[in-house]
Coordinates of all heavy atoms in Angstrom, one line a residue:
M3 N 0.8 -1.2 0.0 CA 0.0 0.0 0.0 C 0.9 1.2 0.0 O 2.0 1.2 0.5 CB -0.9 0.0 1.2 CG -2.0 -1.0 1.2 SD -3.4 -0.1 1.7 CE -4.6 -1.4 1.7
G4 N 0.3 2.3 -0.5 CA 1.1 3.5 -0.6 C 0.4 4.6 0.3 O -0.4 4.3 1.2
V5 N 0.6 5.8 -0.1 CA -0.1 6.9 0.6 C -1.5 7.0 0.1 O -1.8 7.1 -1.2 CB 0.7 8.2 0.2 CG1 0.1 9.4 1.0 CG2 2.2 8.1 0.6
P6 N -2.5 6.9 1.0 CA -3.9 6.9 0.5 C -4.4 8.1 -0.4 O -5.0 7.8 -1.4 CB -4.7 6.9 1.8 CG -3.8 6.4 2.9 CD -2.4 6.9 2.4
W7 N -4.0 9.3 0.0 CA -4.4 10.4 -0.9 C -3.7 10.4 -2.2 O -4.4 10.8 -3.2 CB -4.2 11.7 -0.2 CG -2.7 12.1 0.0 CD1 -1.9 11.8 1.1 CD2 -1.9 12.8 -0.9 NE1 -0.7 12.2 1.0 CE2 -0.6 12.9 -0.3 CE3 -2.0 13.3 -2.1 CZ2 0.5 13.5 -0.9 CZ3 -1.0 13.9 -2.7 CH2 0.3 14.0 -2.1
L8 N -2.5 9.9 -2.3 CA -1.9 9.7 -3.6 C -2.5 8.6 -4.4 O -2.6 8.8 -5.6 CB -0.4 9.5 -3.4 CG 0.5 9.5 -4.6 CD1 0.4 10.9 -5.3 CD2 2.0 9.2 -4.2
D9 N -2.9 7.5 -3.8 CA -3.6 6.5 -4.5 C -4.9 6.9 -5.1 O -5.2 6.6 -6.2 CB -3.8 5.3 -3.5 CG -2.5 4.6 -3.1 OD1 -1.5 4.8 -3.8 OD2 -2.6 3.8 -2.1
H10 N -5.6 7.7 -4.3 CA -6.9 8.2 -4.8 C -6.7 9.2 -5.9 O -7.5 9.3 -6.9 CB -7.7 8.9 -3.7 CG -8.3 7.9 -2.7 ND1 -8.0 6.6 -2.6 CD2 -9.4 8.1 -1.9 CE1 -8.7 6.0 -1.7 NE2 -9.6 6.9 -1.2
L11 N -5.7 10.0 -5.8 CA -5.3 11.0 -6.9 C -5.0 10.3 -8.2 O -5.4 10.6 -9.3 CB -4.2 11.9 -6.4 CG -3.8 13.1 -7.4 CD1 -5.0 14.0 -7.5 CD2 -2.6 13.8 -6.9
L12 N -4.2 9.2 -8.0 CA -3.8 8.4 -9.2 C -5.0 7.7 -9.8 O -5.1 7.7 -11.0 CB -2.7 7.4 -8.8 CG -2.1 6.5 -10.0 CD1 -1.5 7.4 -11.0 CD2 -1.1 5.5 -9.4
L13 N -5.8 7.1 -8.9 CA -7.0 6.5 -9.4 C -8.0 7.4 -10.1 O -8.5 7.1 -11.2 CB -7.8 5.8 -8.2 CG -9.1 5.1 -8.6 CD1 -8.8 3.9 -9.5 CD2 -9.8 4.7 -7.4
G14 N -8.1 8.6 -9.6 CA -9.0 9.7 -10.2 C -8.4 10.0 -11.6 O -9.2 10.2 -12.6
F15 N -7.1 10.2 -11.7 CA -6.5 10.6 -13.0 C -6.7 9.4 -14.0 O -7.0 9.7 -15.1 CB -5.0 10.8 -12.8 CG -4.2 11.0 -14.0 CD1 -4.4 12.2 -14.8 CD2 -3.4 10.1 -14.6 CE1 -3.8 12.4 -16.0 CE2 -2.7 10.2 -15.7 CZ -2.9 11.4 -16.4
L16 N -6.5 8.2 -13.6 CA -6.7 7.1 -14.5 C -8.1 6.9 -15.0 O -8.4 6.6 -16.1 CB -6.2 5.8 -13.9 CG -4.7 5.7 -13.6 CD1 -4.3 4.4 -12.9 CD2 -3.9 5.8 -14.9
V17 N -9.1 7.2 -14.1 CA -10.5 7.1 -14.5 C -10.8 8.2 -15.5 O -11.5 8.0 -16.5 CB -11.4 7.2 -13.2 CG1 -12.9 7.5 -13.6 CG2 -11.3 6.0 -12.4
W18 N -10.3 9.4 -15.2 CA -10.5 10.6 -16.1 C -9.9 10.3 -17.5 O -10.5 10.5 -18.5 CB -9.9 11.8 -15.5 CG -9.9 13.0 -16.5 CD1 -10.9 13.8 -16.7 CD2 -8.8 13.4 -17.3 NE1 -10.6 14.8 -17.6 CE2 -9.3 14.6 -18.0 CE3 -7.5 13.0 -17.5 CZ2 -8.5 15.3 -18.9 CZ3 -6.7 13.7 -18.4 CH2 -7.2 14.8 -19.1
L19 N -8.6 9.7 -17.5 CA -8.0 9.4 -18.7 C -8.7 8.3 -19.5 O -8.9 8.5 -20.7 CB -6.5 8.9 -18.4 CG -5.6 8.6 -19.7 CD1 -5.4 9.9 -20.5 CD2 -4.3 8.0 -19.2
E20 N -9.2 7.3 -18.8 CA -10.0 6.3 -19.5 C -11.2 6.8 -20.1 O -11.6 6.5 -21.3 CB -10.3 5.2 -18.5 CG -11.1 4.0 -19.1 CD -11.5 3.0 -18.1 OE1 -11.7 3.4 -16.9 OE2 -11.7 1.9 -18.5
S21 N -12.0 7.7 -19.4 CA -13.2 8.3 -20.0 C -12.9 9.1 -21.2 O -13.6 9.1 -22.2 CB -14.0 9.1 -18.9 OG -13.3 10.2 -18.6
K22 N -11.8 9.9 -21.2 CA -11.4 10.7 -22.4 C -11.0 9.8 -23.5 O -11.4 10.1 -24.7 CB -10.2 11.6 -22.0 CG -10.6 12.7 -21.0 CD -11.6 13.7 -21.7 CE -11.9 14.8 -20.7 NZ -12.9 15.7 -21.2
L23 N -10.3 8.8 -23.3 CA -9.9 7.9 -24.4 C -11.1 7.2 -25.0 O -11.2 7.0 -26.2 CB -8.9 6.8 -23.9 CG -7.5 7.4 -23.6 CD1 -6.6 6.3 -23.0 CD2 -6.8 7.9 -24.8
I24 N -12.0 6.7 -24.1 CA -13.3 6.0 -24.6 C -14.1 7.0 -25.4 O -14.6 6.7 -26.5 CB -14.0 5.4 -23.5 CG1 -13.3 4.2 -22.9 CG2 -15.4 5.0 -23.9 CD1 -13.9 3.6 -21.7
D25 N -14.3 8.2 -24.9 CA -15.1 9.3 -25.6 C -14.5 9.6 -27.0 O -15.2 9.7 -28.0 CB -15.2 10.5 -24.8 CG -16.1 10.4 -23.6 OD1 -16.9 9.4 -23.6 OD2 -16.1 11.3 -22.7
N26 N -13.2 9.7 -27.0 CA -12.5 10.0 -28.3 C -12.7 8.9 -29.3 O -13.0 9.1 -30.5 CB -11.0 10.3 -28.0 CG -10.4 10.8 -29.3 OD1 -11.0 11.5 -30.1 ND2 -9.1 10.5 -29.5
R27 N -12.5 7.6 -28.8 CA -12.7 6.5 -29.7 C -14.1 6.4 -30.3 O -14.3 6.1 -31.5 CB -12.3 5.2 -29.0 CG -12.3 4.0 -29.9 CD -11.8 2.8 -29.3 NE -11.9 1.7 -30.2 CZ -11.8 0.4 -29.8 NH1 -11.4 0.1 -28.6 NH2 -11.9 -0.5 -30.7
V28 N -15.1 6.6 -29.4 CA -16.5 6.5 -29.8 C -16.7 7.6 -30.8 O -17.4 7.4 -31.9 CB -17.4 6.6 -28.6 CG1 -18.8 6.9 -29.0 CG2 -17.3 5.4 -27.8
R29 N -16.3 8.8 -30.6 CA -16.5 9.9 -31.5 C -15.9 9.7 -32.9 O -16.5 9.9 -33.9 CB -15.9 11.2 -30.9 CG -16.2 12.5 -31.7 CD -15.7 13.7 -31.0 NE -16.3 13.9 -29.7 CZ -15.5 13.8 -28.5 NH1 -14.2 13.6 -28.6 NH2 -16.1 14.0 -27.4
V30 N -14.7 9.1 -32.9 CA -14.0 8.8 -34.2 C -14.7 7.7 -34.9 O -15.0 7.8 -36.1 CB -12.5 8.5 -33.9 CG1 -11.9 7.9 -35.2 CG2 -11.7 9.7 -33.5
E31 N -15.1 6.7 -34.2 CA -15.8 5.5 -34.9 C -17.2 6.0 -35.4 O -17.6 5.6 -36.5 CB -16.0 4.4 -33.9 CG -14.7 3.7 -33.5 CD -14.1 2.8 -34.6 OE1 -14.9 2.3 -35.4 OE2 -12.9 2.7 -34.7
L32 N -17.9 6.8 -34.6 CA -19.2 7.3 -35.1 C -19.1 8.2 -36.3 O -19.8 8.0 -37.2 CB -19.8 8.0 -33.9 CG -21.3 8.5 -34.1 CD1 -22.2 7.2 -34.4 CD2 -21.8 9.2 -33.0
N33 N -18.1 9.1 -36.3 CA -17.9 10.0 -37.5 C -17.5 9.2 -38.7 O -18.0 9.5 -39.8 CB -16.8 11.0 -37.2 CG -17.3 12.1 -36.2 OD1 -18.5 12.3 -36.1 ND2 -16.4 12.8 -35.6
E34 N -16.7 8.1 -38.6 CA -16.3 7.3 -39.7 C -17.6 6.5 -40.2 O -17.8 6.4 -41.4 CB -15.2 6.3 -39.3 CG -13.9 7.0 -39.2 CD -12.8 6.0 -38.7 OE1 -13.1 4.8 -38.5 OE2 -11.7 6.4 -38.5
A35 N -18.4 6.0 -39.3 CA -19.6 5.3 -39.7 C -20.6 6.2 -40.4 O -21.2 5.8 -41.4 CB -20.2 4.6 -38.5
I36 N -20.7 7.4 -40.0 CA -21.6 8.4 -40.6 C -21.1 8.7 -42.0 O -21.9 8.8 -43.0 CB -21.8 9.7 -39.8 CG1 -22.6 9.3 -38.5 CG2 -22.4 10.8 -40.6 CD1 -22.7 10.4 -37.5
K37 N -19.8 8.9 -42.2 CA -19.2 9.3 -43.5 C -19.4 8.1 -44.4 O -19.7 8.3 -45.6 CB -17.8 9.6 -43.4 CG -17.5 11.0 -42.8 CD -16.0 11.2 -42.6 CE -15.8 12.6 -41.9 NZ -14.4 12.8 -41.7
E38 N -19.2 6.9 -43.9 CA -19.4 5.7 -44.8 C -20.9 5.5 -45.2 O -21.2 5.3 -46.4 CB -19.0 4.4 -44.0 CG -19.1 3.2 -44.8 CD -18.8 1.9 -44.0 OE1 -18.2 2.1 -43.0 OE2 -19.1 0.8 -44.5
W39 N -21.8 5.8 -44.3 CA -23.2 5.7 -44.6 C -23.6 6.7 -45.6 O -24.4 6.5 -46.5 CB -24.1 5.8 -43.3 CG -25.5 5.7 -43.6 CD1 -26.2 4.5 -43.7 CD2 -26.5 6.8 -43.8 NE1 -27.5 4.8 -43.9 CE2 -27.7 6.2 -44.0 CE3 -26.4 8.1 -43.8 CZ2 -28.9 6.9 -44.2 CZ3 -27.5 8.9 -44.0 CH2 -28.7 8.2 -44.2
E40 N -23.1 8.0 -45.5 CA -23.4 9.0 -46.4 C -22.9 8.7 -47.8 O -23.5 9.1 -48.8 CB -22.9 10.4 -46.0 CG -23.6 10.9 -44.8 CD -23.0 12.2 -44.2 OE1 -21.9 12.5 -44.6 OE2 -23.7 12.9 -43.5
T41 N -21.8 8.0 -47.9 CA -21.3 7.7 -49.3 C -22.1 6.5 -49.9 O -22.2 6.5 -51.1 CB -19.8 7.2 -49.2 OG1 -19.7 6.1 -48.4 CG2 -18.9 8.4 -48.8
L42 N -22.7 5.7 -49.1 CA -23.5 4.6 -49.6 C -24.9 5.0 -49.9 O -25.6 4.5 -50.8 CB -23.6 3.4 -48.6 CG -22.3 2.7 -48.2 CD1 -22.5 1.7 -47.1 CD2 -21.7 2.1 -49.5
Q43 N -25.4 6.1 -49.2 CA -26.8 6.6 -49.5 C -26.7 7.9 -50.2 O -26.4 8.9 -49.6 CB -27.5 6.7 -48.1 CG -27.6 5.5 -47.3 CD -28.5 4.5 -47.9 OE1 -29.5 4.8 -48.5 NE2 -28.2 3.2 -47.7
P44 N -27.1 7.9 -51.5 CA -27.1 9.2 -52.1 C -28.3 10.1 -51.6 O -29.3 9.6 -51.2 CB -27.3 8.9 -53.6 CG -28.0 7.5 -53.6 CD -27.5 6.8 -52.3
P45 N -28.1 11.4 -51.5 CA -29.2 12.2 -51.0 C -30.4 12.2 -52.0 O -30.2 12.4 -53.2 CB -28.5 13.6 -51.0 CG -27.4 13.6 -51.9 CD -26.9 12.1 -51.9
S46 N -31.5 11.9 -51.4 CA -32.7 11.7 -52.2 C -33.8 12.6 -51.7 O -35.0 12.2 -51.6 CB -33.1 10.3 -52.3 OG -33.5 9.8 -51.0
I47 N -33.5 13.8 -51.4 CA -34.5 14.7 -50.9 C -35.2 15.4 -52.1 O -34.6 16.0 -52.9 CB -33.9 15.8 -50.0 CG1 -33.3 15.2 -48.8 CG2 -35.0 16.9 -49.6 CD1 -32.6 16.2 -47.9
Q48 N -36.5 15.1 -52.2 CA -37.3 15.6 -53.3 C -38.0 16.9 -52.9 O -38.5 17.0 -51.8 CB -38.3 14.6 -53.8 CG -37.6 13.3 -54.3 CD -38.6 12.2 -54.5 OE1 -39.8 12.3 -54.2 NE2 -38.1 11.2 -55.2
P49 N -38.1 17.9 -53.8 CA -38.8 19.1 -53.4 C -40.3 18.9 -53.4 O -40.8 17.9 -54.0 CB -38.4 20.1 -54.6 CG -38.1 19.2 -55.7 CD -37.5 17.9 -55.1
P50 N -41.0 19.7 -52.6 CA -42.4 19.6 -52.6 C -43.1 19.9 -53.9 O -42.5 20.6 -54.7 CB -42.9 20.6 -51.5 CG -41.8 21.5 -51.4 CD -40.5 20.8 -51.8
V51 N -44.3 19.4 -54.1 CA -45.1 19.6 -55.3 C -46.0 20.8 -55.1 O -46.8 20.8 -54.1 CB -45.8 18.3 -55.7 CG1 -46.7 18.6 -56.9 CG2 -44.9 17.2 -55.9
Y52 N -46.0 21.8 -55.9 CA -46.8 22.9 -55.8 C -48.0 22.8 -56.8 O -47.7 22.6 -58.0 CB -46.1 24.2 -56.1 CG -46.9 25.4 -56.2 CD1 -47.4 26.0 -55.0 CD2 -47.2 26.0 -57.4 CE1 -48.2 27.2 -55.1 CE2 -48.0 27.1 -57.5 CZ -48.5 27.7 -56.3 OH -49.3 28.8 -56.4
T53 N -49.2 22.8 -56.3 CA -50.4 22.7 -57.2 C -51.3 23.9 -56.9 O -51.4 24.4 -55.8 CB -51.2 21.4 -57.0 OG1 -51.5 21.3 -55.6 CG2 -50.3 20.2 -57.4
E54 N -52.0 24.3 -57.9 CA -52.9 25.4 -57.8 C -54.1 25.1 -58.6 O -54.1 24.8 -59.8 CB -52.2 26.7 -58.3 CG -53.0 28.0 -58.1 CD -52.3 29.2 -58.5 OE1 -51.0 29.2 -58.4 OE2 -52.9 30.2 -58.9
K55 N -55.3 25.2 -58.0 CA -56.6 24.9 -58.7 C -57.4 26.2 -58.7 O -57.4 27.0 -57.7 CB -57.4 23.9 -57.9 CG -56.8 22.5 -57.9 CD -57.7 21.5 -57.2 CE -57.0 20.2 -57.0 NZ -57.9 19.3 -56.3
P56 N -58.0 26.5 -59.8 CA -58.8 27.7 -59.9 C -60.1 27.6 -59.0 O -60.5 26.5 -58.7 CB -59.2 27.8 -61.4 CG -59.0 26.5 -61.9 CD -58.0 25.8 -61.1
S57 N -60.6 28.7 -58.5 CA -61.7 28.7 -57.6 C -63.0 28.6 -58.5 O -63.0 28.8 -59.7 CB -61.8 29.9 -56.8 OG -61.9 31.1 -57.6
D58 N -64.1 28.3 -57.8 CA -65.4 28.2 -58.5 C -66.0 29.6 -58.8 O -66.7 29.7 -59.8 CB -66.4 27.5 -57.6 CG -66.0 26.1 -57.3 OD1 -65.2 25.5 -58.1 OD2 -66.4 25.5 -56.2
T59 N -65.7 30.6 -58.1 CA -66.1 31.9 -58.4 C -64.9 32.8 -58.7 O -63.8 32.5 -58.3 CB -66.9 32.5 -57.2 OG1 -66.1 32.6 -56.1 CG2 -68.1 31.6 -56.8
S60 N -65.2 34.0 -59.3 CA -64.1 34.8 -59.6 C -63.6 35.7 -58.5 O -62.6 36.3 -58.5 CB -64.6 35.8 -60.8 OG -65.6 36.6 -60.3
T61 N -64.4 35.7 -57.4 CA -63.9 36.6 -56.2 C -63.0 35.8 -55.3 O -62.4 36.4 -54.5 CB -65.2 37.1 -55.5 OG1 -65.9 36.0 -55.0 CG2 -66.0 38.0 -56.4
R62 N -63.1 34.5 -55.3 CA -62.3 33.7 -54.4 C -60.8 33.5 -54.9 O -60.6 33.5 -56.1 CB -62.9 32.3 -54.2 CG -64.1 32.4 -53.4 CD -64.7 31.0 -53.1 NE -63.7 30.0 -52.8 CZ -63.9 28.7 -52.8 NH1 -65.1 28.3 -53.0 NH2 -63.0 27.9 -52.6
L63 N -59.9 33.3 -54.0 CA -58.5 33.1 -54.4 C -58.4 31.6 -54.8 O -59.2 30.7 -54.4 CB -57.6 33.4 -53.3 CG -57.5 34.8 -52.9 CD1 -56.6 35.0 -51.7 CD2 -56.9 35.6 -54.0
P64 N -57.5 31.3 -55.7 CA -57.3 29.9 -56.1 C -56.7 29.1 -54.9 O -56.1 29.6 -54.0 CB -56.3 29.9 -57.2 CG -55.6 31.2 -57.1 CD -56.6 32.2 -56.4
E65 N -57.0 27.8 -54.9 CA -56.5 26.9 -53.9 C -55.1 26.5 -54.2 O -54.8 26.0 -55.3 CB -57.4 25.6 -53.9 CG -56.9 24.6 -52.9 CD -57.7 23.3 -52.9 OE1 -58.9 23.4 -53.3 OE2 -57.2 22.3 -52.6
M66 N -54.2 26.8 -53.3 CA -52.7 26.5 -53.5 C -52.3 25.4 -52.5 O -52.7 25.5 -51.3 CB -51.9 27.7 -53.4 CG -52.2 28.8 -54.4 SD -51.2 30.3 -54.2 CE -51.9 31.0 -52.8
R67 N -51.5 24.4 -52.9 CA -51.1 23.4 -52.1 C -49.6 23.1 -52.3 O -49.1 23.1 -53.4 CB -51.8 22.1 -52.4 CG -53.2 22.1 -51.9 CD -53.8 20.7 -52.1 NE -55.2 20.6 -51.7 CZ -55.9 19.5 -51.5 NH1 -55.3 18.4 -51.8 NH2 -57.1 19.6 -51.1
L68 N -48.9 22.8 -51.2 CA -47.6 22.2 -51.2 C -47.7 20.8 -50.6 O -48.1 20.7 -49.4 CB -46.6 23.1 -50.3 CG -46.1 24.4 -51.0 CD1 -45.3 25.1 -50.0 CD2 -45.3 24.1 -52.2
T69 N -47.4 19.8 -51.3 CA -47.5 18.5 -50.8 C -46.2 17.7 -51.1 O -45.4 18.1 -51.9 CB -48.7 17.7 -51.5 OG1 -48.5 17.7 -52.9 CG2 -50.0 18.3 -51.2
A70 N -46.1 16.6 -50.4 CA -44.9 15.7 -50.6 C -45.0 15.0 -52.0 O -46.2 14.8 -52.4 CB -44.8 14.7 -49.5
P71 N -43.9 14.7 -52.6 CA -44.0 14.1 -54.0 C -44.7 12.7 -53.9 O -45.3 12.3 -54.9 CB -42.6 14.0 -54.4 CG -41.8 14.8 -53.5 CD -42.6 15.0 -52.3
W72 N -44.7 12.0 -52.8 CA -45.2 10.7 -52.8 C -46.7 10.7 -52.3 O -47.4 9.7 -52.3 CB -44.4 9.8 -51.8 CG -44.3 10.4 -50.4 CD1 -45.2 10.3 -49.4 CD2 -43.3 11.2 -49.9 NE1 -44.8 11.0 -48.3 CE2 -43.6 11.5 -48.6 CE3 -42.1 11.7 -50.5 CZ2 -42.8 12.3 -47.8 CZ3 -41.3 12.5 -49.7 CH2 -41.6 12.8 -48.4
Y73 N -47.3 11.9 -52.0 CA -48.7 12.0 -51.6 C -49.6 12.0 -52.8 O -49.3 12.7 -53.8 CB -48.9 13.3 -50.9 CG -50.3 13.6 -50.5 CD1 -50.9 12.9 -49.4 CD2 -51.1 14.5 -51.2 CE1 -52.2 13.1 -49.0 CE2 -52.4 14.7 -50.8 CZ -52.9 14.1 -49.7 OH -54.2 14.3 -49.4
I74 N -50.6 11.1 -52.8 CA -51.5 11.0 -53.9 C -52.9 11.6 -53.4 O -53.4 11.2 -52.4 CB -51.7 9.6 -54.3 CG1 -50.4 9.0 -54.8 CG2 -52.8 9.5 -55.4 CD1 -50.4 7.5 -55.1
D75 N -53.3 12.6 -54.1 CA -54.6 13.3 -53.7 C -55.8 12.4 -54.1 O -56.0 12.2 -55.3 CB -54.7 14.6 -54.4 CG -55.8 15.5 -53.8 OD1 -56.4 15.1 -52.8 OD2 -56.1 16.6 -54.4
T76 N -56.5 11.9 -53.1 CA -57.6 11.0 -53.4 C -58.9 11.6 -52.8 O -59.8 11.0 -52.5 CB -57.4 9.6 -52.8 OG1 -57.2 9.8 -51.4 CG2 -56.2 8.9 -53.4
Y77 N -58.9 13.0 -52.8 CA -60.1 13.7 -52.2 C -61.2 13.5 -53.2 O -61.1 13.8 -54.4 CB -59.7 15.1 -52.0 CG -60.9 16.0 -51.5 CD1 -61.3 15.8 -50.1 CD2 -61.6 16.8 -52.3 CE1 -62.3 16.5 -49.6 CE2 -62.6 17.6 -51.8 CZ -63.0 17.4 -50.5 OH -64.0 18.1 -50.0
D78 N -62.4 13.1 -52.8 CA -63.5 12.9 -53.6 C -64.6 13.9 -53.2 O -65.1 13.8 -52.1 CB -64.1 11.4 -53.5 CG -65.2 11.1 -54.5 OD1 -65.3 11.8 -55.5 OD2 -65.9 10.1 -54.2
E79 N -64.9 14.8 -54.1 CA -66.0 15.8 -53.9 C -67.4 15.1 -54.1 O -67.6 14.4 -55.0 CB -65.8 17.0 -54.8 CG -64.6 17.8 -54.5 CD -64.6 19.1 -55.3 OE1 -65.7 19.6 -55.6 OE2 -63.5 19.6 -55.5
K80 N -68.2 15.4 -53.1 CA -69.6 14.9 -53.2 C -70.6 16.0 -53.3 O -70.5 17.0 -52.9 CB -69.9 14.0 -52.0 CG -69.1 12.7 -52.1 CD -69.4 11.8 -50.9 CE -68.6 10.6 -51.0 NZ -68.9 9.7 -49.9

């Protein structure tokens, strides 16, 4: 056994060093995995679809819509 306060100081330093090394390794591995995934997946963000329908009367404004490209309008007027 050594000096208790020195042992605790050394233990605290080793725990701090281990946490920094683990955090750094995780950060590097995660960044590499993200970069690899981005190269495998091409960006496929499609712009929204803008549609405009004329109104029934001349005083109303036309109906304007922004929808996702994969949305299919199945509204049935009755």
Side-chain angles (χ1 to χ4, degrees):
M3 292 226 181
V5 181
W7 66 269
L8 188 57
D9 291 343
H10 284 19
L11 186 63
L12 181 60
L13 178 64
F15 174 72
L16 291 175
V17 168
W18 174 81
L19 183 63
E20 180 184 27
S21 69
K22 291 295 181 181
L23 290 174
I24 290 173
D25 287 345
N26 188 33
R27 181 172 178 193
V28 168
R29 187 176 300 114
V30 167
E31 292 288 330
L32 187 60
N33 287 341
E34 287 176 1
I36 289 173
K37 286 178 185 176
E38 179 183 348
W39 182 81
E40 287 176 346
T41 58
L42 296 175
Q43 302 290 327
S46 62
I47 299 175
Q48 300 172 348
V51 176
Y52 173 76
T53 57
E54 186 173 330
K55 294 181 184 178
S57 65
D58 297 335
T59 63
S60 62
T61 58
R62 289 184 34 193
L63 293 174
E65 178 184 331
M66 297 181 287
R67 287 188 180 189
L68 282 175
T69 56
W72 56 86
Y73 176 76
I74 299 173
D75 190 12
T76 58
Y77 181 74
D78 188 19
E79 290 188 30
K80 292 183 180 183

